[in-house]
Amino acid sequence: MAFSSLFRGTAVLLTVTLLMFLSVMAQEQSLSGTINDVNGQPLEGAEVTVAELGLTQTTGADGRYGFDVAAGEYSLVVTLIGYLPQEQLASVGAEPVTLDFQMRRVLPQFGQEVVVIGTRAARTALETPVPVDVLSAETIAESGQTETSRIIQFLAPSFNFSTSTISDGTDIVRPSTLRGLGPDQTLVLVNGKRRHNSALVHVNGSVGRGTAGVDLNSIPASAIEKIEILRDGASAQYGSDAIAGVLNIVLKDQTDYTDIQFTGGQTYKGDGETFVVSLNHGEKLGSRGFINMTGEWRDRGFTNRSGADPRQQYLSLPDGSPDPREFTFNRINHRYGDAESRDVHFFFNSEVALGDRSDLYFFGGASARRGESAGFYRRSLDARNVPGKHPDGFLPMINTDVEDLSLATGFRHRFGSWAMDASITLGGNSFNFFISNSVNASLGPTSPPEADAGTLNFRQQTFNLDFFGKAGNVNLAFGAEIRRDNYEIEAGDLASYVDGGVPDQFGGRAAAGIQVFPGFRPSNQVDESRRNIAGYVDAEIPVGENFLLALAGRGEHYNDFGGNVSGKVAGRYEFSPEFAVRGSVSNGFRAPSLHQAFFNNTSTQFVFSQATGELVPFEVGTFANNSPITKGFGVPELTEETSVSYSLGFTAQPAQGLSLTADVFKTDIDDRIVISGQFQAEPGGGPIADILLPFGANAVQFFTNAIDTETEGIDVVLAWFKPIADDASFSFTAAANWNRTNVVGTVKTPPVLAGLGETLFDRIERERVEYAQPRALYNISSKVQKAGFSGLIRFNYFGNVKTVESASNPNIDQVFEGEWLTDLEFAHRWRNGLRLAL
């Protein structure tokens, strides 16, 4: 991926911005102090935040902090893991101000973490007008998981990470969702900046079919300081894609130590061996600058839970008797489970001071992943097999190379009681398919056993200019965003897609293309771009002493389909320090992605046959929404998804160390984009055959705004913390999410397809939207800690899910009952920093 022109643009932008804002001068005074414990000892590593200016410092060994600010009223918030957060008001005038803090020792409690998402001021998670979860570095380390998506799934019940198998690229980049909605309906930020999506669009039978979300596993867990999850519609605050909510991943900025971690394990079945080695190190740069770097290597072996294949594998002998090889054939011939994956990551986070009032920051990273997954086994007697190449049949392998690159650079400047943040974020994802242990049957014996099947690329460049500060007692933010997206499909090797004309082993026409994943053809190639410009304003207004009102509005305009405006109203009323209610109403929208507008290919999909009772392979063409064949079906051009979200809840702290939050939510989405069902030519001719005839296709599917959905549910979190002794404590957390998504109204069917609504969006697709994700998720954990020893037990429940194989026969639906998973961890941390956990 070539980003040289973007780097040059970044340099020009920063130079202009620097000259512009260095000219803004204001008389400033020192605001400084010391962070101590109750015994007067200085505390190192405390995070001091000036809420109104977005300034943050981390104290050194002397516990000192210091800012230069203009005259005005400021709120300082101090947080440190293991201590209760504190907040004090500072009135800065003509003289320097000294403000010291004395921190009281406790272990972290739910809701006491300061968050930067869902609010334009520094507030704890219990003080925000919308629900926010915070996963700390300590909690992440105790999850027992090694992938970022899996970590979030086991710690936040509102988040789901679906595992799929025999689903092409989705085996490696798996979909993650929030509150039961789609993968592309959650906005992901890193250090508050938009993260690019994956190049892969899920087209097979998995959760999120027809979407392209963010590959969270391209961000190593060892580089993460905390993860903030905003569980509320936030399109007006942060941009389209935030219909379900926002994930903000905050990278580590520590400079106090070097962290080396090694994790190893496997399943009780003896497979799925996983090894992770990571190193995180930070260095100070000047008085308040730093650079933090992370390297991680992860190796995960495949798992296999397939049963024996009972089918006949070889052609019968001329006398009708079975081939003797039937009795010695290894019938565990499929691979059904997690794919094999090897990952290498490098991430960094850095900030450099430019004088007293300005900072330059950089962060980003690169990752490379090599995956290997399998397709369905091709038997020796299969028409797609070439016996001379694979006399016993073959298991074709999909090898995927996923490369990911990101870089953000920005400039922050403070003037008066306001601050400015200008940044450019570059990101790109590349997804290559390489097929091995296979054959192109139409080439016969001359077919190579492997071929490059093509590459998907997605690139994103985002420019942000934000201003934030205080106007009287109102926290105010406004700004603009310019974004450019680019999507490419590159063709594969000739052997991956060509029709060589050689008949199959039975004399019929052989399927073209390399088996399991026919390559992208030159006719599939696309190189499309889109531009978007947006502006927003966001305000938090105290109304009296007990009520906080939050208002936000955002307008966006895309050069390819037009614009939209979204707004949000949220509020929090505090009846007492122990109890408050909160709620929000917002509308949002999500533009169709370039993937959905332009993806096209031919793939092997499996359709249930009523005649044989088996899944039968079928070559299906996916056509771009603006293609002539799609126009022939009368399908209109894609338009944006629109939503209306409601949330109402409360926060309670009935006793010391005890907290409870509950939030009811509802999200209505209109014109949701889906992949249609398969339109197959009728034997002997018919209306579908007439449409397909000029294009030489037998079955097609396409993207369309076909459905409206309604999602509703409730999130509940109960947390209890109790000190047992000076060096011992007990904590308990119980969290639950109940959600239900229903397709409402009728399928939006164009006149050409009148009467075919059940094909456009059939029962398989409807059930996948409604039942493929758990409707109930629970997380219950308890931890006892004494000195350096700790013991943790965690229970996770994942509710029922359903798979549907036939659009017309519900008798073969499969319902998988909910399951409880139990985690136990025993750990000891020595004074020298070594921690050992089982």
Side-chain angles (χ1 to χ4, degrees):
M1 286 177 266
F3 292 124
S4 59
S5 61
L6 295 173
F7 286 124
R8 289 195 295 271
T10 302
V12 172
L13 168 72
L14 292 176
T15 301
V16 172
T17 307
L18 186 62
L19 293 175
M20 182 190 310
F21 284 95
L22 285 180
S23 64
V24 181
M25 302 298 294
Q27 184 65 36
E28 296 190 338
Q29 291 295 343
S30 171
L31 173 57
S32 61
T34 305
I35 314 300
N36 298 317
D37 64 13
V38 294
N39 298 314
Q41 297 298 311
L43 293 175
E44 182 179 6
E47 192 172 85
V48 186
T49 301
V50 181
E52 292 77 8
L53 300 178
L55 297 175
T56 300
Q57 279 190 19
T58 303
T59 58
D62 59 359
R64 297 282 302 170
Y65 75 91
F67 301 97
D68 290 323
V69 297
E73 298 289 330
Y74 300 97
S75 174
L76 269 69
V77 179
V78 181
T79 58
L80 178 61
I81 291 178
Y83 294 82
L84 280 177
Q86 285 199 25
E87 180 177 5
Q88 293 190 50
L89 294 177
S91 180
V92 179
E95 300 295 331
V97 175
T98 300
L99 195 61
D100 297 329
F101 289 79
Q102 193 175 68
M103 308 290 286
R104 186 163 66 87
R105 179 86 181 176
V106 294
L107 289 178
Q109 300 182 50
F110 167 79
Q112 296 299 327
E113 311 90 342
V114 172
V115 299
V116 298
I117 196 171
T119 176
R120 295 297 179 178
R123 305 186 189 279
T124 68
L126 285 176
E127 296 173 337
T128 58
V130 290
V132 178
D133 296 327
V134 180
L135 310 180
S136 66
E138 181 181 9
T139 305
I140 291 171
E142 292 174 345
S143 69
Q145 305 297 321
T146 60
E147 297 175 308
T148 298
S149 289
R150 189 71 73 194
I151 289 169
I152 304 174
Q153 179 189 31
F154 273 70
L155 298 177
S158 59
F159 183 91
N160 184 51
F161 178 56
S162 298
T163 297
S164 60
T165 188
I166 315 184
S167 55
D168 298 343
T170 305
D171 289 359
I172 299 299
V173 175
R174 292 163 288 176
S176 54
T177 63
L178 190 63
R179 282 183 161 179
L181 294 176
D184 56 1
Q185 292 164 339
T186 298
L187 176 62
V188 177
L189 309 175
V190 176
N191 284 356
K193 306 299 180 183
R194 174 182 285 268
R195 177 75 176 178
H196 59 274
N197 287 16
S198 167
L200 177 74
V201 58
H202 305 292
V203 296
N204 282 12
S206 67
V207 169
R209 183 172 184 261
T211 68
V214 174
D215 180 11
L216 291 170
N217 286 341
S218 64
I219 305 172
S222 52
I224 298 174
E225 178 64 30
K226 63 180 178 179
I227 302 172
E228 301 172 337
I229 306 173
L230 170 60
R231 296 181 274 110
D232 193 54
S235 293
Q237 294 170 285
Y238 299 101
S240 63
D241 309 353
I243 289 176
V246 181
L247 267 74
N248 183 37
I249 295 176
V250 181
L251 300 178
K252 289 181 177 178
D253 60 1
Q254 63 84 14
T255 59
D256 307 326
Y257 55 88
T258 298
D259 187 5
I260 302 174
Q261 297 185 31
F262 171 80
T263 302
Q266 68 175 37
T267 73
Y268 287 116
K269 295 287 187 179
D271 57 10
E273 300 89 349
T274 301
F275 301 97
V276 182
V277 179
S278 67
L279 185 149
N280 177 266
H281 177 73
E283 291 285 347
K284 292 183 178 179
L285 300 177
S287 60
R288 66 173 189 267
F290 68 90
I291 182 169
N292 182 277
M293 296 171 290
T294 302
E296 181 175 295
W297 173 79
R298 181 169 66 234
D299 188 342
R300 185 190 71 199
F302 70 86
T303 60
N304 191 8
R305 300 295 177 267
S306 65
D309 184 351
R311 300 174 300 172
Q312 180 180 345
Q313 299 292 320
Y314 302 91
L315 293 172
S316 300
L317 298 179
D319 61 2
S321 61
D323 189 304
R325 291 175 293 179
E326 293 283 0
F327 305 105
T328 58
F329 179 77
N330 179 10
R331 294 187 177 274
I332 307 296
N333 55 9
H334 281 71
R335 185 189 290 183
Y336 195 89
D338 280 338
E340 182 178 301
S341 175
R342 291 183 177 88
D343 303 53
V344 178
H345 305 272
F346 172 77
F347 263 69
F348 74 97
N349 187 23
S350 180
E351 189 168 304
V352 180
L354 300 177
D356 296 330
R357 293 179 288 125
S358 303
D359 300 283
L360 193 65
Y361 60 87
F362 307 89
F363 63 87
S367 67
R369 179 183 313 153
R370 177 67 187 269
E372 182 188 77
S373 59
F376 279 90
Y377 193 83
R378 268 65 168 169
R379 295 175 290 169
S380 175
L381 55 72
D382 197 312
R384 296 167 297 170
N385 185 29
V386 178
K389 305 287 288 188
H390 300 284
D392 297 312
F394 63 97
L395 182 66
M397 307 303 296
I398 302 177
N399 305 277
T400 50
D401 285 303
V402 186
E403 296 181 357
D404 200 280
L405 178 66
S406 63
L407 173 64
T409 177
F411 171 72
R412 280 193 296 262
H413 180 77
R414 303 180 300 281
F415 49 102
S417 60
W418 283 75
M420 180 277 304
D421 185 342
S423 66
I424 284 184
T425 305
L426 314 175
N429 182 269
S430 173
F431 198 109
N432 173 257
F433 295 89
F434 187 86
I435 312 305
S436 62
N437 193 44
S438 186
V439 67
N440 181 338
S442 72
L443 293 175
T446 64
S447 171
E450 58 189 27
D452 185 323
T455 302
L456 304 171
N457 295 306
F458 181 71
R459 303 181 182 91
Q460 188 172 85
Q461 305 134 37
T462 308
F463 165 70
N464 290 98
L465 180 62
D466 302 286
F467 297 87
F468 46 92
K470 263 198 166 182
N473 66 344
V474 177
N475 288 298
L476 187 63
F478 60 91
E481 178 179 285
I482 301 173
R483 189 169 77 247
R484 182 181 184 272
D485 297 340
N486 174 254
Y487 179 66
E488 287 183 349
I489 299 177
E490 299 177 10
D493 294 339
L494 179 65
S496 73
Y497 61 81
V498 72
D499 184 349
V502 176
D504 63 33
Q505 62 174 311
F506 303 112
R509 181 174 179 178
I514 196 84
Q515 289 297 313
V516 77
F517 189 89
F520 293 104
R521 305 170 185 180
S523 59
N524 297 134
Q525 292 190 134
V526 298
D527 185 354
E528 297 288 343
S529 297
R530 177 170 68 195
R531 296 183 304 279
N532 169 43
I533 185 169
Y536 76 93
V537 61
D538 193 349
E540 288 187 352
I541 309 167
V543 181
E545 295 184 357
N546 299 329
F547 184 58
L548 177 67
L549 176 65
L551 303 172
R554 187 182 189 94
E556 299 204 30
H557 186 273
Y558 291 78
N559 70 307
D560 54 354
F561 81 89
N564 209 318
V565 176
S566 55
K568 182 171 184 176
V569 179
R572 180 181 185 272
Y573 186 83
E574 189 174 273
F575 289 92
S576 69
E578 293 79 26
F579 183 80
V581 295
R582 60 190 180 189
S584 69
V585 178
S586 64
N587 72 313
F589 75 99
R590 192 194 70 81
S593 68
L594 291 178
H595 312 62
Q596 293 170 325
F598 297 103
F599 178 83
N600 68 107
N601 83 328
T602 300
S603 62
T604 304
Q605 300 187 22
F606 289 80
V607 180
F608 181 79
S609 170
Q610 300 283 0
T612 65
E614 294 183 342
L615 292 174
V616 178
F618 206 75
E619 300 300 321
V620 179
T622 301
F623 289 85
N625 177 262
N626 63 349
S627 67
I629 193 170
T630 306
K631 298 294 184 184
F633 280 89
V635 177
E637 291 189 9
L638 293 178
T639 186
E640 69 271 22
E641 301 174 341
T642 58
S643 68
V644 179
S645 298
Y646 311 88
S647 178
L648 180 64
F650 70 86
T651 66
Q653 296 174 282
Q656 179 66 32
L658 180 65
S659 63
L660 172 66
T661 69
D663 296 274
V664 178
F665 62 90
K666 185 173 186 289
T667 303
D668 297 329
I669 304 177
D670 291 341
D671 300 322
R672 193 160 168 175
I673 300 172
V674 297
I675 298 182
S676 73
Q678 298 169 7
F679 288 90
Q680 302 178 15
E682 305 91 341
I688 302 301
D690 292 341
I691 297 174
L692 297 180
L693 182 62
F695 303 97
N698 293 317
V700 301
Q701 59 188 23
F702 40 80
F703 291 87
T704 179
N705 297 88
I707 61 170
D708 300 335
T709 62
E710 178 183 271
T711 300
E712 54 190 9
I714 181 171
D715 292 309
V716 178
V717 181
L718 172 69
W720 180 39
F721 168 82
K722 183 175 180 57
I724 300 173
D726 290 341
D727 62 347
S729 65
F730 168 81
S731 62
F732 173 83
T733 302
N737 169 268
W738 294 272
N739 69 84
R740 180 178 63 190
T741 295
N742 290 319
V743 177
V744 296
T746 59
V747 176
K748 298 173 183 178
T749 309
V752 175
L753 299 176
L756 295 175
E758 287 301 315
T759 303
L760 181 66
F761 189 76
D762 61 23
R763 196 180 73 89
I764 296 176
E765 298 306 318
R766 180 184 296 268
E767 298 286 288
R768 182 175 290 124
V769 170
E770 295 183 342
Y771 293 104
Q773 298 189 71
R775 290 187 165 191
L777 300 101
Y778 310 144
N779 175 293
I780 303 172
S781 65
S782 181
K783 180 180 178 181
V784 176
Q785 184 165 320
K786 180 175 175 57
F789 292 92
S790 65
L792 179 144
I793 183 169
R794 180 174 55 247
F795 303 98
N796 283 91
Y797 175 79
F798 301 93
N800 298 355
V801 295
K802 180 194 287 188
T803 63
V804 178
E805 306 295 349
S806 170
S808 58
N809 184 7
N811 295 324
I812 62 171
D813 293 354
Q814 296 186 77
V815 176
F816 296 87
E817 297 295 331
E819 291 288 345
W820 284 95
L821 301 182
T822 304
D823 288 315
L824 291 170
E825 181 188 89
F826 301 96
H828 183 266
R829 186 185 295 276
W830 286 265
R831 292 183 179 272
N832 63 3
L834 176 65
R835 180 178 186 267
L836 179 64
L838 172 66

